[in-house]
Amino acid sequence: MTGLTVKLLAMIDALSVPDGGFSVDPVTGADVRSGYAAAVHTECERVLDHPVAVGDLIAYVARYADVLTLPGSVLGGWRDPETGKVYLDVSVVVSDYSIAVALAREAGQLAIFDFAAMESVRIEYGARVAA
């Protein structure tokens, strides 16, 4: 197997568990390991209700290559533990929790990802939590 195939299979494996996911630098292929990820390019969000395949990831990257090459862009994937749906998106990673929450709220996102805790954090909107 090539290095790319191994990486794609690892990304798919990460999406196979509830609250699993990945954030990958699209230029280097390195996993993001610190900060808070927030999906900010809502036009790039794709929601899948089936198990993700290598072809899904390749098609997604090909479709949004122009956005993924913008400075600071990160390829993200997340499996919502409540619905089992998989979200593919273009995210940014910031070091400040409050900024990540503000970015996610502005984009109407369900959650951000906290790399220190290695878990998603649901975003609250007023008196309710996004569902």
Side-chain angles (χ1 to χ4, degrees):
M1 277 191 274
T2 68
L4 177 59
T5 302
V6 170
K7 183 66 174 184
L8 290 170
L9 291 175
M11 292 162 67
I12 289 169
D13 187 52
L15 294 171
S16 69
V17 297
D19 205 27
F22 58 81
S23 294
V24 174
D25 181 318
V27 176
T28 67
D31 293 325
V32 176
R33 301 209 182 271
S34 63
Y36 303 92
V40 295
H41 294 278
T42 56
E43 73 280 9
C44 300
E45 182 178 86
R46 292 294 168 262
V47 182
L48 306 174
D49 57 6
H50 62 272
V52 178
V54 168
D56 294 319
L57 294 177
I58 291 171
Y60 183 85
V61 170
R63 171 70 177 91
Y64 296 106
D66 57 333
V67 182
L68 286 164
T69 58
L70 294 173
S73 291
V74 174
L75 171 61
W78 174 60
R79 182 173 170 196
D80 182 346
E82 293 183 14
T83 66
K85 292 181 181 180
V86 171
Y87 292 78
L88 299 178
D89 56 49
V90 178
S91 299
V92 296
V93 177
V94 296
S95 60
D96 184 278
Y97 175 83
S98 297
I99 291 172
V101 169
L103 289 169
R105 280 188 180 137
E106 186 176 313
Q109 296 301 307
L110 295 175
I112 62 170
F113 191 79
D114 177 348
F115 288 97
M118 289 305 291
E119 65 185 15
S120 57
V121 178
R122 295 292 244 198
I123 300 300
E124 293 186 22
Y125 291 89
R128 68 178 180 84
V129 174

